[in-house]
Amino acid sequence: MTYDLILRGGRVIDPSQKLDAVTDVAFENGKVARVGPSLKGDAGTDVRDMAGAIVTPGLIDLHTHVYWGGTSLGIDAEDFCRQSGVTTAVDTGSAGPGNFAGFRKHVIEPSEVRILAYLHVSFAGIYAFSPRVMVGESEEIRLMAPVDAVEVANANRDIIVGIKVRIGARTSGRSGAAPLDIALQVAEEVGMPVMVHLDDPPPTYEEVIARLRPGDVLTHAFRPYPNTPATAQGTVKQVALDARRRGVLFDIGHGKGSFAFKTARVMLANGFLPDTISSDVHTLCINGPAFDQVTTMSKFLCLGMPLIDVIAASTANAAFALKRPELGSLKPGSVGDATILSVKDGRFDYVDVVGEHLVGEQRIFSDGVVIAGRWWHPTSAFKNT
Ligand SMILES: [Zn+2]
């Protein structure tokens, strides 16, 4: 057996196989080939010494906006993934059926990092999102494009993983929850989950969550008041507990306006961990308060969520939401993506979307990325001599 790459002697944390051990990981032909001690390569094998580092499956950021150049909120996926240890960036609704072809051809296909997408049910996706021009794409009901969305989703099933819709006072306005009902019809027709963004009421939290089916994803799940899942009494709303019981998934989607420490403290104190941690990175939050995936993960670590759970929420759980079990795992045969992390002690300042600061004692850093079985970034790091 020859390997393209061996990551030697790191602390391998892979929640998909309940693994937390110092061992080696070998890659061959773009996939994970083997996990185990003392793996041997040959003269052509790239061997990287991982002593003291944490090796995880490639991080999945379940909520990003990476239609760079095609939409005003899109950031450059490769730049972002280099900084934040992400190997799969899931774009959520930047493109709709009217402009998905350009996203595919000009961004997704040339990209070295993996990009998957939720297709917006609104014709041109999130088309007017900037500091000076902000138009909710879901308010104009004439832009709802269920027939086109079904066609485009079916024609791009290798990349499109679900249907996105944004609702709330800021994004669907007078149309209320109607765009969600249309998105659900599309999702039903193509057999995919919906990811729904909810901002301020109307509609209410209760109205929205009652509509979601098993496998559907509520993003911005730990948002501040209003439409928050936490009650003023410090409990979790019964409708949220009921939704989790029937299989609705709760995604963080930090972003510019959608994550509050206050909400997170209540949820975590009640044992309600997020299913997935994601940054919702876009042009208006990449320089704060969201920054990136490892910063968002660090906030949860500092709020007391165990490291293993934080990693699961960025790997195996995200793969489950995507229905892509070959991602987010270091089981042999999985896609050959891995992320090298370190957790450093110190005093680190974090901020949420309402401006609350938290001084945390730990921070997760991204130190290296493997994509499709090759060391990707930074090129010379951890090289065995
Ligand atoms: Zn978003």
Side-chain angles (χ1 to χ4, degrees):
M1 189 76 192
T2 63
Y3 301 122
D4 298 322
L5 171 67
I6 295 175
L7 304 179
R8 172 138 0 259
R11 178 184 171 194
V12 179
I13 301 180
D14 178 7
S16 79
Q17 41 188 337
K18 299 197 166 43
L19 177 66
D20 182 355
V22 173
T23 191
D24 299 349
V25 184
F27 301 85
E28 177 68 16
N29 288 331
K31 294 188 169 160
V32 180
R34 200 156 165 209
V35 178
S38 309
L39 300 182
K40 295 209 173 17
D42 59 20
T45 306
D46 182 3
V47 180
R48 307 263 166 171
D49 181 6
M50 293 288 124
I54 295 169
V55 177
T56 70
L59 300 182
I60 302 167
D61 191 338
L62 195 72
H63 189 149
T64 69
H65 293 282
V66 295
Y67 190 177
W68 185 91
T71 56
S72 53
L73 81 167
I75 54 114
D76 184 287
E78 290 187 7
D79 282 352
F80 170 72
C81 292
R82 273 186 207 103
Q83 305 310 319
S84 66
V86 170
T87 58
T88 300
V90 184
D91 185 280
T92 64
S94 298
N99 56 354
F100 186 81
F103 187 26
R104 176 170 190 129
K105 181 168 179 180
H106 303 304
V107 175
I108 297 176
E109 288 179 354
S111 173
E112 288 191 37
V113 300
R114 218 171 295 286
I115 300 174
L116 299 173
Y118 289 85
L119 180 73
H120 210 305
V121 69
S122 185
F123 192 64
I126 303 171
Y127 61 85
F129 186 106
S130 85
R132 286 176 295 280
V133 177
M134 192 64 86
V135 178
E137 73 286 348
S138 300
E139 178 153 13
E140 174 53 82
I141 216 76
R142 288 178 300 172
L143 290 175
M144 291 296 125
V147 175
D148 305 73
V150 167
E151 270 177 28
V152 171
N154 275 331
N156 295 276
R157 297 188 82 98
D158 56 332
I159 292 171
I160 292 176
V161 295
I163 304 302
K164 175 78 187 291
V165 67
R166 298 202 304 160
I167 56 168
R170 296 160 191 263
T171 48
S172 65
R174 282 159 295 155
S175 295
L180 171 58
D181 293 332
I182 297 168
L184 283 163
Q185 282 196 34
V186 174
E188 197 71 45
E189 186 69 16
V190 296
M192 290 180 183
V194 154
M195 178 189 271
V196 60
H197 148 125
L198 174 62
D199 54 77
D200 294 346
T204 64
Y205 189 81
E206 288 74 7
E207 282 176 83
V208 169
I209 204 156
R211 287 167 152 89
L212 300 184
R213 312 160 304 161
D216 287 338
V217 180
L218 176 70
T219 191
H220 311 320
F222 287 9
R223 53 168 281 111
Y225 176 89
N227 271 349
T228 168
T231 69
Q233 291 72 42
T235 61
V236 178
K237 284 181 181 167
Q238 188 60 43
V239 288
L241 298 170
D242 293 344
R244 169 159 276 183
R245 205 168 297 122
R246 72 174 185 273
V248 173
L249 302 174
F250 292 77
D251 172 57
I252 289 305
H254 188 307
K256 179 171 162 279
S258 311
F259 173 76
F261 292 133
K262 185 179 171 190
T263 306
R265 278 191 207 97
V266 171
M267 302 305 280
L268 296 180
N270 286 279
F272 197 111
L273 274 54
D275 290 293
T276 50
I277 294 173
S278 63
S279 67
D280 186 16
V281 65
H282 53 66
T283 45
L284 303 189
C285 70
I286 191 168
N287 296 313
F291 295 100
D292 60 22
Q293 179 71 3
V294 280
T295 305
T296 311
M297 291 164 70
S298 298
K299 290 176 181 176
F300 279 89
L301 189 64
C302 292
L303 287 164
M305 188 165 158
L307 178 64
I308 306 285
D309 294 328
V310 169
I311 291 170
S314 308
T315 56
N317 295 3
F320 177 79
L322 296 167
K323 303 187 198 291
R324 297 278 175 123
E326 72 276 19
L327 297 174
S329 173
L330 292 172
K331 284 181 194 152
S334 302
V335 156
D337 294 358
T339 300
I340 317 309
L341 301 173
S342 56
V343 180
K344 295 199 167 55
D345 296 327
R347 285 174 62 79
F348 303 99
D349 182 55
Y350 299 100
V351 65
D352 69 4
V353 305
V354 295
E356 182 186 338
H357 284 261
L358 167 77
V359 176
E361 287 169 359
Q362 289 187 305
R363 184 170 179 87
I364 301 169
F365 291 87
S366 160
D367 299 329
V369 174
V370 173
I371 293 180
R374 304 275 173 183
W375 189 270
W376 188 66
H377 179 82
T379 323
S380 59
F382 299 103
K383 190 84 178 159
N384 249 4
T385 49

